[in-house]
Amino acid sequence: MEHIIVRQEEEKDYRKVEEITRAAFNYPERIQRGKIGCPYEHWMVHELRQRDGIIELSLVAQQKNGTIVGHIICSKAVVKKESYTLPVLNFGPLSVLPEYQRQGIGQALIRTMIEKAQKLGFGAILFFGRPEYYPQFGFKEAVVYGISDAEGYNYPAFMAMELKEGYLKNVCGGKFFESDIYNDMLNRETVMKFDENF
């Protein structure tokens, strides 16, 4: 998109990015409906910066006038098979302000993230997302690589992509483990307290 610049997030962007993420996932309305929702995406972004996030892969979509309208972040994850542990990337949340959605901004963030992750030398990305959307970027169901989630399950929303050919071959039969910030039951009280600042 000619009018959008994708760049690395800077510290001055932090609060704006959290506000965008909160709005993109309709957080206030979810609370009103009694559906708090998981995994509290605006808090996740905040917490990933402190813990398991990859700062080089925390990217914002910015208009030429300087307005930030979207964000994506990657985090550290692993695939384990017996005593073998393979580092991989997880990504999410991916956020675009509601009024800017369906304009290709999310696609620009994803494509830039994939390209940059390859340049940084990462071997694979695994994550949970919409199976009707992400194959256009090269993602496949993780079962293609013989990898299940941490509980041993496979389903279309669990997807993977090799950034280096053959990177996942030694973990066929392995399980995927992401940061515990994605556990809504574990973090519910912390998130509600964090949200009081918005």
Side-chain angles (χ1 to χ4, degrees):
M1 298 182 63
E2 293 182 8
H3 63 288
I4 290 293
I5 300 163
V6 177
R7 62 167 175 81
Q8 186 172 328
E9 181 191 40
E10 300 173 12
E11 189 172 350
K12 64 181 174 63
D13 306 322
Y14 286 2
R15 175 67 182 199
K16 183 63 178 174
V17 163
E18 290 162 13
E19 291 171 354
I20 288 169
T21 305
R22 190 175 189 268
F25 286 90
N26 208 13
Y27 193 81
E29 185 177 321
R30 280 162 43 186
I31 291 176
Q32 290 169 7
R33 292 197 315 254
K35 297 179 179 179
I36 302 301
C38 164
Y40 319 110
E41 294 86 355
H42 62 309
W43 173 80
M44 287 167 47
V45 170
H46 176 82
E47 193 68 11
L48 280 171
R49 296 192 194 105
Q50 327 292 322
R51 294 170 50 186
D52 299 314
I54 310 293
I55 300 303
E56 297 89 345
L57 292 172
S58 182
L59 308 173
V60 296
Q62 176 182 296
Q63 292 183 313
K64 287 187 177 178
N65 66 6
T67 303
I68 298 172
V69 296
H71 174 258
I72 192 170
I73 189 168
C74 290
S75 56
K76 299 171 187 174
V78 297
V79 178
K80 294 182 179 181
K81 182 181 179 183
E82 298 169 354
S83 61
Y84 183 66
T85 300
L86 184 71
V88 296
L89 285 178
N90 181 21
F91 90 82
L94 166 65
S95 309
V96 177
L97 279 173
E99 60 267 36
Y100 291 94
Q101 292 175 7
R102 296 179 177 81
Q103 298 180 31
I105 294 169
Q107 292 182 9
L109 283 163
I110 294 167
R111 294 188 195 284
T112 303
M113 177 273 291
I114 292 169
E115 181 181 338
K116 190 167 185 183
Q118 286 178 310
K119 287 180 180 176
L120 289 169
F122 291 100
I125 304 170
L126 290 91
F127 78 110
F128 303 94
R130 288 169 35 209
E132 72 277 9
Y133 180 73
Y134 289 99
Q136 66 181 302
F137 305 103
F139 288 99
K140 303 173 183 176
E141 290 186 35
V143 70
V144 170
Y145 299 100
I147 299 170
S148 65
D149 70 8
E151 303 298 321
Y153 297 109
N154 281 103
Y155 33 85
F158 179 36
M159 288 173 278
M161 171 194 288
E162 287 187 326
L163 301 176
K164 296 177 180 176
E165 188 175 351
Y167 186 78
L168 297 173
K169 66 181 180 181
N170 292 329
V171 287
C172 183
K175 295 181 179 180
F176 173 67
F177 295 88
E178 60 187 349
S179 170
D180 67 9
I181 72 159
Y182 296 96
N183 184 330
D184 65 323
M185 299 308 294
L186 182 66
N187 297 300
R188 184 175 297 264
E189 290 184 17
T190 304
V191 175
M192 295 301 286
K193 188 168 183 60
F194 172 76
D195 190 64
E196 292 173 3
N197 298 314
F198 287 79

